[in-house]
Structures are given as C-alpha cells and as structure tokens.
Amino acid sequence: MKPLSLLIEILIILGVIIKNIEAEKHSKKQTERNATTQVSANELKQFLSHILERRKLIKVIYQRENALGKKKIQRKLRIKGIQNKDLSKRNKNHLRKQAKKNFTDEGDQLFKTGIKILQQSKNQKQKAEAYVFFAKAADMGNLKAMEKMADALLFGNFGMQNITAAIQLYESLAKEGSYKAQNALGFLSSYGIGMEYNQAKALIYYTFGSAGGSMMSQMILGYRYLSGINVLQNCEVALNHYKKVADYIVDKLEKSEGIPVEKVRLTERPENLSSNNEILDWDIYQYYKFLAERGDVQIQVSLGQLHLIGRKGLDQDYYKALYYFLKAAKAGSANAMAFIGKMYLEGNVAAPQNNATAFKYFSMAASKGNAIGLHGLGLLYFYGKGVPVNYAEALKYFQKAAEKGWPNAQFQLGFMYYSGSGVWKDYKLAFKYFYLASQSGQPLAIYYLAKMYATGRGVLRSCRTAVELYKGVCELGHWAEKFLTAYFAYKDGDIDSSLVQYALLAEMGYEVAQSNSAFILESKKAKILEKEKMYPMALLLWNRAAIQGNAFARVKIGDYHYYGYGTKKDYQTAATHYSIAADKYHSAQAMFNLAYMYEHGLGITKDIHLARRLYDMAAQTSPDAHIPVFFALVKLETVHLLRDILFFNQFTMRWKWMKLDNTLGPYWDLFVIGLIVAVLIFLLRNRYG
C-alpha cells in the first residue's frame, strides 16, 4: 500500500512532540493520561513505519519473483514442455494462496483482539493498546484495521492527526471498495480539507459510499436532499435515505431507552461552557460520590443511572450502577428497585439476565406505585419472560405506568394498538400514545410516528414531517459519540481534531455541530483550512444552522453581511436576517442591531420612532440588554435633541452633520456615548464624593 508513506512517520513524531509540550501545561491527571498515550503513540509510529517498509519490501520481492518466474517458465518450456510448466505453476499458486490465507487469518485475529480491547477499555491507555493491534493487523493487509488507522489519522486520536496520510490511506481503501473510505473522501472534498473543494466529487463519493452500505453516507445524502444542498430538493429521496438509517438505528436500540447524546454548544459563554450541564465536571462528580456514600438516596439513584447508560461524560459501568442502585434500594427507593429489575431483565456483566430476579424487583417497585416498575412487569407479561404471555395483564400494567407519565409505557401501549397485540388494531390510539411518548424524546415512539406519517397510516401523509422525525432517530446513531470526543479535544486545545469531528457531524445534519464548526472557523484558530476560506465556510455553516432554527446563527448571518465577513457588505440582507431573528425567535441582540440600523438608516429607511421601540423591546426581552439599551437611548435622545435645538435650519443641519462625519469619523455616535458616560460618572462622583 503506497499511501503509507514516510509522511506518516514524520508527522506522527511531530504529533508526539506537540503532545509532550501540551502535557507539561496540563494538570497532574492530564499529564499522566497524556504520558501513557505518548508511549502508545510511539508504538503506533513504529508499527506504521514498519507497515511502510513491509509494503515496499513485498512490492520489490513480488517484482523480482515475477522476473525470475518468467525466466523459469521459459527454461521449463524449452526443457520439460508445457505440461510440466502447468504443474509447477499450479503448485506455486497453491503455496501462494496458502501463505496469503495464513497471513490474512492472523490479521483478522489481531483486528478482533483490538476490537475486544477497545470495547472493554475504560481509559486512554487501553484504547491506545487496541490501536497497536490495529496497526499490526493493518500491516498484514486487514482492510478493517486500515480503516481504523485512517480514522485515527483523520480525527487525531492520541495526538497523531495527519490529514495527508489519512487521505492517502482512504484513497487506497476506496480502490479496494471500502465504503467508509468513500464516505471520508466525500466529507474531505465537501470542506476542502487536505483536498480540493469539490462538491460534485463529494456527492459522487457519498453516492458510492451509500451504495456500499455506509449509514453515514445515507444520512448525509438524506440531509442534502432535504435541504437542497448541491442537489435538487427532493423530500421523497430524502425520506428513502433517512428511513434506511432509522431502520438500522432502531434495530440497534432493541427496545431500550436509546443512545444518550451530550451536545455541548461552544457558542455559550465561557463561564457556562466550563461548567456545562451536559458534561459532569470531575470535582462535582467526586462531590456526588461523597454524598452518595453519606446516604443521599436521590444522588445514589442519579449516579446509578449515569453509570448505567454512560451519561454526562461518564463511562458506562454496570458494576458501579448496580452498586449505587442496591444502596438506594436498601434505603427503600422504588426507582432503584425498578432499575435493578431493568438490569436483570436486559442482562449485563454485573447483573446476568435473570427473569425471576427482574420480576422480584419490578414487583417491589410496582407495589410502591412506581411507573418504571409497573412498566417492567408489563414487559415481562408482554414478552412472556419468566411468566406466561398475558396481553391483558401487560395492557393493564402499561396503562397504569402511562397514566403516571412514563414514556416507555406510552410507547408500549402505542405499539400494542399499532400491531394489534392483544387488542384490536387502532391507528388513532396508536398515534395518540406514540405522540405522547415522543414528547419526552422516546426514540422508538418517534420512529413509529415517522412511519405513520410516511405511509399515511392513521394520519394524513406528510413527507416533510416523516423526514424530520426520521432525522431525529438517525441522530441517535453511534456516530453521535463524536460530540463528546470533539468537545474534550476542544477543551484540551486540540482545535483541528475538534473541528474535523464537528465538521463531519455538521455534514450529517446536526445543527449543534454546524454552529460549533462555524464558531471554531470564525475564531481562525484551526490550521487545516486556509485563512481566506474560514469566513466563507463559517457563513455557510451558520446558514445551515439558522435554517434548522438556531436563532444565534441567524443573528450571526446578519453580522457577516453587516461587516462583510466571508461575503460582500450588504446592510439590506443583514437587516432582513436581524428581522427574522427578532420576529421569529425574539432575539434581544437582533432587536438591538435592527434598532441601530433604523436609527442610522442602514439598508432600511431611517425611522427614529421604530428604533426607540426596538431598543425598548430588546431591554424587555433580555435583562442583559438593559445597560447597552440605556446608553443607546441616551445617545439617541441627546442627538435628537441637538438636532431640534441647534440644527433648526435644514441646510445648516446637513452641513453640520457632514462636518461631524468628516471630523470625528463615521462612528462619531460611539464618541458621543463615551462622552455621555464620562459626564454621568463625573456627576455621580461629585454627588457622592
């Protein structure tokens, strides 16, 4: 494989050096983590270098072997004849095939070992060890291992980001028919990262990727046809793509609560970002553990839930989940009892599948009127786990749990009426319960609602509604885990790695990822794109986020047109976007900006009265706008007063106004605000001094 060139070795060494420098600036815990990662990165570098040498050696040997083979064939033809030559050739081919099979089997085994380690890993060191096995398997020609290594080079896993080497690997893998490589090349072409910016080529790659079985390519094509991105907008085609992905996701969910996805917005204020509710800080986690050990039942249940499904940045840990649930159950928590029942019903390493134990704990919780316990008993009777199948009993328990607002029970009721399990089919009732459950984000309920809207079963058919619902289900895919890794990369200062991950999610249609990618590009801290491309690409992403309902993104588009970032200055377009944000989303910032434009007649007809009204509306909408609105109104009223008193003559007024612009510049009004502030401070100091 020629793409595994010396660039891999050189740039991985650079990545390790950079990580060493960053490690010295981190806390003790971060330093230890990076140190273990660095060792593994060195090992990976050695293996990748070894792959290169092995590939070159194999190529040389193969060329020599071909040359020698030709000479031998000619000699045998002259001496022994065609019959002996054919026999020798068959023997030689047999030996080659056997050697290749042994080589391939060993590579497959190494890849499987790496996957097993990766699935069981709980820290960065163990994950890095898995990639050592992938590197060895890739050395033996294992395509799946090579895909893993290419992804690591693209996304910067363990500090070894190398876009050029990743592209070379992907191009070779694409020739071998790898749909993952096709998808990656499409993504890189769509952004112009390490490749020529070419949307037509990106579309071709995505088409081949989806045909090969890439769910990510399917999702990207679904979003493109939904939004009309470089293709004619076509809801039916989008529906077809999204349905395939949603079917795949639902099959993976297996009637569970869904895959948790933490989506942190980088556009939040820095103080909020550092203590974001989506991610649990280490110090807070330690405090919660302390409270749990002291007997706080509510905290015990909460920690158990977090560890059960791996929420808020915590690793999934069944042993810890069971530990906290047992402590809370012992103290009488009905929720804890129900969750223990759930663990035994589904089965895991800490609580092996046991219907009798599940029934016991569900019954204990249900006796206390707990909705989760009632739902659990309903599941046991519905599927006949540990008890005979009894749809009447299941219906009774589901109804009781649904009345208490438990979304999973509402979904089960909907499913019973949808499928006619133990009851007459009733699509109206099915729709009712699916809708109720969907309001709490129950993914399976959303899926079946989409199915009903797509087919017009029990409801008026609506392609657009079906696509939007399917899209919500698709966004629960395992690829959403990149939200966490991208966020942590951003916090650790690895901007390029964070940008690549957010950009891929943005391409798949995640609104939060679109705004985060635009935010990073706007900061111009990334190095994987040319500076002149950053504002236009950021504007494109802000626009996509705004179309999906992001008010902040809508204001940003207005700002870009107002200041001419990534596009020409266009006050009229800026005012249009500010108006949309103000009217549709009640954005205080948009109201303030629009008021300023009305005050000065920028892109719209000058209207002082409307400017006053918009300033007042901004102050009423957000407390943060009170101070800027106050100064803006003081300036407006002062200037208006000066006009009325001093500039009574129209000719004189125009002349004086032009003179002000020439003397103080176009932003003289800011000077006036500063002067007013200074006067106010002076008066206040004299009064209280």
Side-chain angles (χ1 to χ4, degrees):
M1 286 287 177
K2 289 192 294 182
L4 286 171
S5 63
L6 194 59
L7 285 171
I8 296 177
E9 184 176 2
I10 294 171
L11 291 177
I12 288 176
I13 293 171
L14 289 175
V16 173
I17 293 170
I18 292 168
K19 277 296 172 184
N20 285 337
I21 294 170
E22 290 177 349
E24 292 174 2
K25 298 178 182 179
H26 280 69
S27 64
K28 183 179 178 182
K29 177 185 171 185
Q30 186 67 30
T31 305
E32 290 174 356
R33 189 186 77 177
N34 286 346
T36 56
T37 304
Q38 177 195 339
V39 173
S40 298
N42 282 327
E43 291 181 52
L44 290 173
K45 178 201 72 173
Q46 292 170 5
F47 280 117
L48 287 169
S49 177
H50 179 60
I51 292 170
L52 168 66
E53 297 304 322
R54 175 74 68 86
R55 297 287 170 204
K56 286 181 178 178
L57 184 61
I58 288 171
K59 186 178 178 182
V60 171
I61 291 171
Y62 185 72
Q63 288 172 348
R64 289 180 181 176
E65 193 179 64
N66 279 345
L68 289 171
K70 286 178 182 178
K71 290 179 181 179
K72 286 179 180 179
I73 288 169
Q74 291 171 0
R75 192 179 300 115
K76 286 176 181 179
L77 280 170
R78 288 194 300 269
I79 298 171
K80 296 183 179 180
I82 295 173
Q83 187 176 359
N84 290 338
K85 181 208 77 169
D86 290 340
L87 181 63
S88 175
K89 188 176 180 180
R90 285 197 299 271
N91 289 336
K92 190 174 181 181
N93 287 339
H94 175 73
L95 290 172
R96 276 186 182 176
K97 287 179 181 178
Q98 189 62 41
K100 187 177 180 180
K101 183 179 182 301
N102 294 338
F103 200 65
T104 303
D105 290 345
E106 189 177 350
D108 290 344
Q109 192 58 45
L110 286 168
F111 176 74
K112 289 176 182 176
T113 303
I115 289 292
K116 187 176 180 181
I117 293 172
L118 194 63
Q119 289 173 341
Q120 296 175 351
S121 62
K122 294 182 179 180
N123 54 51
Q124 290 293 97
K125 184 179 178 181
Q126 291 175 342
K127 288 178 182 178
E129 287 173 0
Y131 276 86
V132 172
F133 281 94
F134 293 147
K136 289 179 180 179
D139 178 34
M140 295 182 173
N142 186 285
L143 292 180
K144 290 182 179 179
M146 292 173 72
E147 287 173 347
K148 286 283 185 184
M149 296 309 298
D151 288 346
L153 290 167
L154 175 61
F155 298 117
N157 297 354
F158 317 110
M160 58 179 192
Q161 190 173 40
N162 183 337
I163 304 293
T164 305
I167 290 170
Q168 291 175 337
L169 253 182
Y170 282 132
E171 286 176 341
S172 289
L173 286 164
K175 290 176 184 177
E176 299 289 337
S178 168
Y179 63 78
K180 289 185 179 179
Q182 298 279 5
N183 182 76
L185 290 171
F187 157 64
L188 293 167
S189 297
S190 69
Y191 282 89
I193 299 175
M195 299 178 70
E196 179 190 2
Y197 176 80
N198 191 325
Q199 289 292 345
K201 187 180 271 190
L203 188 61
I204 292 170
Y205 278 127
Y206 289 142
T207 303
F208 277 111
S210 65
S214 170
M215 289 297 112
M216 294 175 79
S217 289
Q218 289 278 9
M219 193 168 167
I220 290 169
L221 286 174
Y223 177 65
R224 287 191 167 222
Y225 278 103
L226 173 66
S227 307
I229 300 172
N230 298 109
V231 292
L232 289 175
Q233 196 170 18
N234 191 321
C235 183
E236 295 299 334
V237 176
L239 178 64
N240 183 48
H241 285 295
Y242 272 123
K243 185 182 183 303
K244 288 178 182 177
V245 183
D247 290 343
Y248 168 81
I249 298 298
V250 167
D251 184 56
K252 295 291 182 184
L253 290 177
E254 294 179 347
K255 305 279 189 296
S256 68
E257 293 179 0
I259 300 169
V261 181
E262 274 75 31
K263 301 176 183 176
V264 179
R265 289 189 183 275
L266 301 182
T267 52
E268 292 185 358
R269 293 180 177 181
E271 61 268 22
N272 293 335
L273 186 61
S274 60
S275 58
N276 196 284
N277 290 329
E278 294 289 346
I279 305 296
L280 194 63
D281 285 342
W282 180 254
D283 293 338
I284 296 175
Y285 173 62
Q286 293 300 319
Y287 178 63
Y288 283 167
K289 281 178 67 177
F290 169 74
L291 292 177
E293 294 301 328
R294 291 286 298 271
D296 190 317
V297 176
Q298 188 175 349
I299 295 294
Q300 288 169 350
V301 175
S302 297
L303 285 178
Q305 287 179 269
L306 292 177
H307 282 297
L308 179 62
I309 50 179
R311 293 296 302 268
K312 296 190 178 294
L314 295 181
D315 290 327
Q316 189 177 51
D317 191 324
Y318 293 118
Y319 289 104
K320 287 183 179 178
L322 185 61
Y323 169 76
Y324 286 119
F325 285 145
L326 286 171
K327 285 180 76 73
K330 191 175 180 180
S333 170
N335 275 336
M337 295 171 190
F339 278 115
I340 294 171
K342 182 178 185 297
M343 290 183 74
Y344 278 105
L345 175 63
E346 296 174 356
N348 54 66
V349 291
Q353 207 285 328
N354 190 312
N355 292 327
T357 307
F359 185 87
K360 169 189 168 184
Y361 280 103
F362 280 142
S363 298
M364 290 167 63
S367 66
K368 294 176 176 285
N370 182 269
I372 307 173
L374 290 165
H375 170 253
L377 287 177
L379 287 176
L380 292 174
Y381 281 109
F382 185 81
Y383 292 106
K385 294 192 173 184
V387 293
V389 172
N390 190 326
Y391 289 129
E393 282 293 296
L395 182 67
K396 180 182 74 175
Y397 284 119
F398 288 149
Q399 285 176 334
K400 287 182 179 179
E403 287 169 4
K404 293 178 180 291
W406 186 237
N408 288 2
Q410 291 167 344
F411 161 72
Q412 286 296 152
L413 280 176
F415 182 75
M416 289 184 76
Y417 284 111
Y418 181 85
S419 60
S421 302
V423 293
W424 291 104
K425 278 188 180 181
D426 189 329
Y427 292 128
K428 296 292 182 184
L429 276 176
F431 180 85
K432 170 191 170 183
Y433 286 114
F434 285 150
Y435 180 78
L436 285 172
S438 71
Q439 297 305 294
S440 300
Q442 218 287 344
L444 293 169
I446 296 171
Y447 171 79
Y448 277 97
L449 272 182
K451 205 170 182 179
M452 294 181 80
Y453 274 111
T455 57
R457 190 174 293 171
V459 66
L460 187 65
R461 188 180 188 275
S462 172
C463 178
R464 182 77 189 191
T465 305
V467 168
E468 293 291 349
L469 291 168
Y470 273 138
K471 183 175 182 288
V473 176
C474 294
E475 291 184 354
L476 294 172
H478 61 84
W479 39 77
E481 293 172 359
K482 289 194 183 300
F483 270 106
L484 274 181
T485 54
Y487 171 68
F488 287 128
Y490 181 82
K491 280 192 75 176
D492 290 342
D494 195 346
I495 304 300
D496 286 340
S497 173
S498 179
L499 176 59
V500 170
Q501 294 179 77
Y502 277 133
L504 175 59
L505 293 168
E507 186 75 352
M508 297 172 73
Y510 288 89
E511 179 271 310
V512 175
Q514 289 167 349
S515 59
N516 285 355
S517 299
F519 178 79
I520 293 173
L521 286 168
E522 185 180 87
S523 69
K524 292 195 172 184
K525 293 178 182 178
K527 298 175 183 176
I528 56 175
L529 273 180
E530 293 86 349
K531 296 287 184 184
E532 62 271 14
K533 290 182 180 178
M534 291 192 180
Y535 273 137
M537 186 59 70
L539 177 59
L540 177 72
L541 289 165
W542 284 128
N543 189 58
R544 290 181 184 178
I547 290 170
Q548 296 200 70
N550 187 320
F552 183 82
R554 183 66 67 181
V555 175
K556 275 290 183 182
I557 298 171
D559 292 344
Y560 275 52
H561 283 95
Y562 184 91
Y563 294 106
Y565 294 157
T567 185
K568 292 181 180 179
K569 277 189 179 182
D570 188 339
Y571 291 138
Q572 190 172 356
T573 303
T576 300
H577 286 289
Y578 289 145
S579 296
I580 294 171
D583 297 339
K584 191 174 181 180
Y585 305 109
H586 307 291
S587 167
Q589 182 67 60
M591 293 172 188
F592 185 91
N593 294 353
L594 199 57
Y596 183 86
M597 296 184 79
Y598 271 113
E599 181 185 350
H600 296 278
L602 300 173
I604 43 181
T605 306
K606 192 171 184 177
D607 190 329
I608 299 298
H609 300 293
L610 188 53
R612 282 198 194 98
R613 176 172 172 74
L614 284 166
Y615 279 134
D616 289 336
M617 286 173 64
Q620 292 168 9
T621 303
S622 172
D624 294 339
H626 284 169
I627 294 175
V629 165
F630 170 75
F631 287 123
L633 285 173
V634 169
K635 186 266 297 183
L636 186 150
E637 297 299 341
T638 303
V639 171
H640 194 62
L641 182 65
L642 287 172
R643 279 181 174 180
D644 290 344
I645 297 175
L646 301 178
F647 305 137
F648 56 89
N649 182 277
Q650 187 177 4
F651 172 78
T652 306
M653 179 181 73
R654 286 183 181 176
W655 183 80
K656 293 283 185 182
W657 209 255
M658 289 172 64
K659 194 172 180 181
L660 269 175
D661 280 344
N662 293 333
T663 306
L664 301 176
Y667 300 107
W668 62 267
D669 52 342
L670 298 177
F671 171 77
V672 172
I673 290 177
L675 185 63
I676 293 169
V677 172
V679 170
L680 286 172
I681 292 172
F682 176 76
L683 292 173
L684 289 171
R685 286 186 65 182
N686 286 342
R687 181 176 180 180
Y688 295 105

